[in-house]
Amino acid sequence: MAGTVTHDPPPAAGGGRQGGPLIVTEDVGLLDDLLRLCAAAGATPEVHHGLPERRGSWEAAPLVLVGDDAARRVRGAPRRRGVVLVGRDQDDSGVWRRAVEIGADHVLMLPDGEQWLVDRIADVAEGVGRPALTVGVLGGRGGAGASTLACALAVTSAREGLRTLLVDADPLGGGLDVVLGGETAEGLRWPAFAASRGRVGGGALEESLPELHSLRVLSWDRGDCVTVPPQAVRAVLAAARRGGGAVVVDLPRRVDSGVAEILAQLDLGLLVVPAELRAVAAAGRVASAVGMVLRDLRVAVRGPYAPGLDDREVARLLGLPLVGDVPVEPGLQHPPGSGRPPGASGRSPLARFCKEFWERALVEARAA
């Protein structure tokens, strides 16, 4: 059980690791539980039996966990936000009075509130800022160029100095690490996260992935695993977003339970549509399925254009906002794995398209 008293939560940090919580208790069993939860959240706490003697420790800690046994000993502490009173007795009505006396934001009872507390500890340990602007890219039909655009968007974002993570959500696509020339790069791929549950540490996730062209890539390996449970997909993408910057997801055209988890966390989606009638018809079906989960879906049109079609007409036929015409990248005839990814040349038409997209999207995100 976790209950709120009256105070606002502590302000979000601007990013970066903030350190572990301060624990105040003499209850050995409770301390063991709190240390276990801190370890699960990847945090190293500071432990005291009463108010810390070191000046400023109480005020500076990003989160304070006060055992119910220690409430009396911290009653005179300076009031601050981010204090949680932790106990075990669900039937103790006096706990709320003690929480008010010490200025606690929350009252939490173990074991029911364990997951809430792990999430809160991880938030302060990692630093919680604005989540990453998360963009999904999918093709209106096969061969539309969605993977090319996804890679180019990620490469451009990284070149502009944003912390960037590229996620390959299509297990049958051959691997975006191959497109980026990093199929042999050290790091984890999707199958390694299949057993993930609850919360995944954002920093640990990022450090475990291959780094290619100044961005991190979560791709598929060449093994037999082609599915990851939806709860693992949810946990991994949430961890990717907590780091801020930009996350680009290359999506398949089908919507299964795992893809639905990704769609639910996207800020916007780009539907890449070749400018010919059959592709527009196929894209309409994809847009209908995706639009059931993703509220902000836009169309990016790729030439050459069939007679009577232009990018505005394609967008009108699909009933979607137009992002623009996706230019052809000179030199993309290089075979996959050549080491020269889409958007590598900052002066190419495709790179300029991606840069302009990020400029607009980031402005929109800040204004939201």
Side-chain angles (χ1 to χ4, degrees):
M1 180 188 78
T4 301
V5 182
T6 54
H7 306 285
D8 295 329
R17 298 191 67 83
Q18 304 298 303
L22 171 67
I23 297 175
V24 182
T25 184
E26 284 186 324
D27 184 327
V28 175
L30 180 61
L31 178 59
D32 285 344
D33 284 339
L34 293 178
L35 291 176
R36 171 175 55 83
L37 298 178
C38 285
T44 302
E46 181 180 341
V47 180
H48 294 271
H49 296 315
L51 278 178
E53 295 182 2
R54 182 162 57 88
R55 187 176 181 85
S57 292
W58 172 271
E59 295 88 346
L63 181 68
V64 178
L65 307 178
V66 178
D68 195 30
D69 65 290
R72 180 177 53 83
R73 295 192 296 279
V74 303
R75 193 178 298 166
R79 294 301 172 105
R80 52 154 294 168
R81 290 183 290 174
V83 176
V84 181
L85 183 62
V86 186
R88 285 201 183 90
D89 187 353
Q90 303 277 359
D91 299 321
D92 181 8
S93 59
V95 70
W96 299 98
R97 173 181 52 81
R98 293 190 291 277
V100 171
E101 288 175 349
I102 68 172
D105 297 323
H106 289 82
V107 172
L108 182 137
M109 293 296 170
L110 300 180
D112 292 355
E114 285 193 357
Q115 187 57 58
W116 182 92
L117 187 54
V118 169
D119 289 347
R120 187 71 176 273
I121 295 169
D123 281 343
V124 300
E126 292 183 352
V128 180
R130 180 185 292 273
L133 176 58
T134 307
V135 178
V137 186
L138 70 162
R141 66 156 169 80
S147 295
T148 296
L149 180 57
C151 288
L153 285 169
V155 168
T156 302
S157 170
R159 185 170 53 244
E160 293 299 310
L162 285 177
R163 172 261 185 191
T164 305
L165 198 150
L166 176 62
V167 178
D168 183 357
D170 186 359
L172 304 180
L176 290 187
D177 53 352
V178 177
V179 178
L180 296 174
E183 63 271 22
T184 62
E186 292 186 2
L188 300 182
R189 269 67 172 178
W190 266 116
F193 299 98
S196 299
R197 300 291 187 275
R199 184 184 179 107
V200 174
L205 170 68
E206 188 168 354
E207 291 170 6
S208 72
L209 300 178
E211 183 175 7
L212 303 169
H213 307 282
S214 300
L215 58 97
R216 297 286 180 166
V217 182
L218 175 54
S219 188
W220 293 86
D221 60 18
R222 263 48 71 184
D224 296 331
C225 177
V226 294
T227 59
V228 170
Q231 58 267 36
V233 174
R234 181 193 316 130
V236 168
L237 189 59
R241 298 185 72 233
R242 281 197 301 272
V247 174
V248 181
V249 186
D250 182 27
L251 292 160
R253 289 185 296 128
R254 69 182 186 283
V255 179
D256 57 21
S257 56
V259 173
E261 292 289 351
I262 294 174
L263 293 173
Q265 295 194 53
L266 294 182
D267 294 302
L268 64 93
L270 298 182
L271 182 63
V272 183
V273 184
E276 45 98 1
L277 287 175
R278 187 178 179 188
V280 173
R285 290 179 176 271
V286 175
S288 178
V290 170
M292 297 177 67
V293 183
L294 178 60
R295 296 179 61 184
D296 189 353
L297 181 64
R298 310 177 192 183
V299 62
V301 184
R302 184 175 64 81
Y305 289 86
L309 283 182
D310 59 19
D311 53 359
R312 291 182 176 82
E313 179 63 9
V314 171
R316 187 192 69 79
L317 290 171
L318 292 171
L320 296 174
L322 176 65
V323 171
D325 173 80
V326 182
V328 176
E329 172 99 338
L332 278 190
Q333 291 75 21
H334 295 304
S338 64
R340 183 175 177 81
S345 172
R347 293 177 291 181
S348 72
L350 181 58
R352 290 198 299 270
F353 171 90
C354 293
K355 182 178 180 180
E356 291 170 3
F357 167 81
W358 285 121
E359 289 173 349
R360 293 193 303 268
L362 289 168
V363 168
E364 291 175 7
R366 294 187 186 105

